[in-house]
Amino acid sequence: MGGDNRGDLRLLALLLVAAVVLVGILAVVAVPLGAGAVAAFDAGLGLKEAAVWGFVTTVALLVLFALVAGDGLLGELQFMLGSFFAFFAIITLLIAWVF
């Protein structure tokens, strides 16, 4: 029994080290790529640009909600359409206000 625990701990340690290395590599790669996004936000966003970001955010949220709902899309469709327009309006205005 003791050997099984040691093997599990070694596997966990190996996975944790791999995860830390992966996060480090992603950080090194993402920082130069993120400079373009930072430059875009420096000047601020108008309502047109905020609408694009709000649309993408709203669609991503509603796809996530549909996937985890479990009841199926047809039963929830009327509620999702109403919430889409509410989310879109609120998120777009908040993005335009903050940025």
Side-chain angles (χ1 to χ4, degrees):
M1 282 195 185
D4 291 338
N5 289 340
R6 264 202 166 142
D8 290 343
L9 288 176
R10 284 184 182 161
L11 180 62
L12 178 64
L14 182 64
L15 288 174
L16 287 175
V17 168
V20 168
V21 168
L22 182 65
V23 167
I25 290 171
L26 287 175
V28 168
V29 171
V31 167
L33 295 177
V38 170
F41 287 126
D42 278 345
L45 289 176
L47 201 53
K48 286 183 182 180
E49 293 90 6
V52 173
W53 284 93
F55 180 77
V56 171
T57 305
T58 303
V59 169
L61 277 173
L62 289 182
V63 167
L64 176 72
F65 290 164
L67 289 175
V68 298
D71 291 337
L73 258 158
L74 294 178
E76 305 291 329
L77 191 60
Q78 68 272 15
F79 300 111
M80 289 183 66
L81 287 175
S83 64
F84 173 81
F85 293 114
F87 274 167
F88 178 68
I90 292 170
I91 290 173
T92 299
L93 293 174
L94 286 174
I95 289 173
W97 178 53
V98 170
F99 295 108

